[in-house]
Amino acid sequence: MASATAIDPMLPEPYSVRQVLKETADTFTLTLEPSEGVVGSRFQPGQFSMLWVFGVGELPISISGDPVERHRLVYTVRSVGQATHALVSRDVGETVGVRGPFGAGWPVEKAEGRDVLIVAGGIGLAPLRPVIYEVLRNRPKYGRIVILYGARSPRDLLYRKELATWARQPETQVLVTVDYGGLNWRGYVGVVTTLFKYARLQPARSLAMACGPEIMMRFVARDLETRGFAQESIYLSMERNMKCAIGFCGHCQYGPHFVCKDGPIFTYDQMRPLLEKYEL
Ligand SMILES: Cc1cc2nc3c(=O)[nH]c(=O)nc-3n(C[C@H](O)[C@H](O)[C@H](O)COP(=O)(O)OP(=O)(O)OC[C@H]3O[C@@H](n4cnc5c(N)ncnc54)[C@H](O)[C@@H]3O)c2cc1C
Ligand code: FES
């Protein structure tokens, strides 16, 4: 049976909640499986779905699972309001409507042969996790891999076990920093850009992928440029309010771009004129 989404991208397909995993006090990872008759679709790292919580509404959420797993979709969701709260409160077996995947993904192929820098802030590690899986699975294709991750506090760190696993991979460096460490924290304290000086890679042959609050990405991009990264080699994942997710309604317009269709991932040279204008 063909996927309904392939016929009408506005029509959600029913998926069943398989698992809800508590990551932190306000963040949960949901695993969804296609309901009977629904064909699971492939996704590119960095793409997102529109998740429909029946009776509440629809919201864009990035896919945070492994792209090779075709029969399940994984999302990491921070509960910030009505729709996200309803989503993370689903019980196993309940149905969630899924549209997508949508958007342009991370430049996994362009990164081949180069050092790869991943910079994540808070929930921004979720859309980057699929690219980390992909790059580590194809390790010989890439140069050094550096993952820099900033969270509010040690209790807000996502994927703790995986961070430790990634750090043990060859030619891979994982550095974590928090805004507030507390008494038992022995790691770095400060914003994520303070980790740049420890990153062991060659900027001129590197490609960077960053996701986090917009203010963070503004500083990340500027700082990387001063360290020798080309603007076209810095990729940023942008967020805007979305409705249709297919370039029709204009809700996600950001300057000349529709974030749902042209993004959500853009190069810094595309975003720079807009990021300088704070009110957009
Ligand atoms: C392409 C894309 C991918 C996304 N991927 C993810 C993801 O993987 N995981 C995830 O948890 N969220 C993700 N989001 C954000 C998510 O869609 C919003 O948090 C959600 O729509 C908020 O809906 P709500 O009804 O729960 O909260 P609302 O009632 O809309 O908002 C409640 C409060 O939270 C604030 N708020 C809303 N969104 C955010 C945000 N993103 N960050 C901080 N504060 C916010 C609002 O300003 C408001 O004060 C993504 C957004 C986009 C556009
Ligand atoms: S969400 Fe409708 S055009 Fe992007």
Side-chain angles (χ1 to χ4, degrees):
M1 179 179 161
S3 159
T5 307
I7 299 161
D8 183 354
M10 294 304 290
L11 198 62
E13 290 186 295
Y15 275 62
S16 178
V17 177
R18 165 62 64 176
Q19 188 188 51
V20 183
L21 188 71
K22 185 169 181 164
E23 300 277 358
T24 71
D26 62 4
T27 303
F28 297 78
T29 293
L30 280 85
T31 301
L32 307 185
E33 287 183 351
S35 298
E36 208 178 322
V38 173
V39 180
S41 51
R42 295 183 77 90
F43 70 94
Q44 304 294 321
Q47 285 192 300
F48 67 95
S49 306
M50 293 300 288
L51 299 184
W52 184 264
V53 188
F54 299 104
V56 181
E58 199 182 36
L59 69 165
I61 298 290
S62 302
I63 305 169
S64 68
D66 192 332
V68 296
E69 292 176 346
R70 285 204 63 180
H71 297 292
R72 56 182 208 158
L73 288 169
V74 177
Y75 304 91
T76 303
V77 183
R78 187 151 79 91
S79 176
V80 294
Q82 199 189 10
T84 45
H85 179 69
L87 185 58
V88 302
S89 306
R90 295 296 92 176
D91 287 323
V92 169
E94 283 192 272
T95 300
V96 171
V98 178
R99 292 198 290 126
F102 298 118
W106 297 109
V108 182
E109 284 173 13
K110 277 196 187 135
E112 286 181 14
R114 306 171 71 172
D115 292 346
V116 179
L117 174 63
I118 307 270
V119 187
I123 190 75
L125 186 56
L128 284 161
R129 188 167 69 159
V131 85
I132 296 172
Y133 289 143
E134 196 74 11
V135 166
L136 290 180
R137 188 175 18 256
N138 298 290
R139 193 65 198 80
K141 289 187 182 173
Y142 301 91
R144 283 190 58 77
I145 296 168
V146 178
I147 300 167
L148 308 180
Y149 175 37
R152 280 174 301 187
S153 77
R155 283 191 299 189
D156 294 304
L157 290 172
L158 298 176
Y159 316 139
R160 283 162 166 271
K161 282 188 185 160
E162 283 184 296
L163 285 166
T165 307
W166 298 336
R168 289 194 297 271
Q169 304 309 305
E171 294 291 295
T172 305
Q173 189 183 13
V174 178
L175 300 176
V176 174
T177 184
V178 295
D179 296 337
Y180 312 101
L183 288 176
N184 297 321
W185 176 252
R186 298 279 172 269
Y188 296 104
V189 176
V191 294
V192 75
T193 46
T194 60
L195 297 175
F196 285 169
K197 56 180 172 292
Y198 307 114
R200 292 194 301 273
L201 42 68
Q202 297 173 44
R205 54 161 279 174
S206 298
L207 185 144
M209 308 184 209
C211 186
E214 209 157 292
I215 183 79
M216 177 205 101
M217 290 198 287
R218 212 174 261 143
F219 283 106
V220 163
R222 276 187 203 156
D223 203 329
L224 290 178
E225 195 183 5
T226 60
R227 287 170 190 274
F229 280 73
Q231 283 185 14
E232 318 78 68
S233 298
I234 302 170
Y235 287 78
L236 309 171
S237 182
M238 307 304 296
E239 275 190 19
R240 281 296 175 274
N241 286 337
M242 289 186 185
K243 287 280 180 216
C244 72
I246 52 172
F248 280 172
C249 73
H251 264 81
C252 65
Q253 190 161 4
Y254 188 34
H257 311 287
F258 282 178
V259 172
C260 68
K261 190 166 65 71
D262 307 326
I265 288 146
F266 296 93
T267 57
Y268 182 41
D269 62 328
Q270 287 176 296
M271 285 297 105
R272 191 180 168 163
L274 300 169
L275 283 171
E276 300 299 324
K277 293 182 191 160
Y278 282 75
E279 73 278 9
L280 277 178

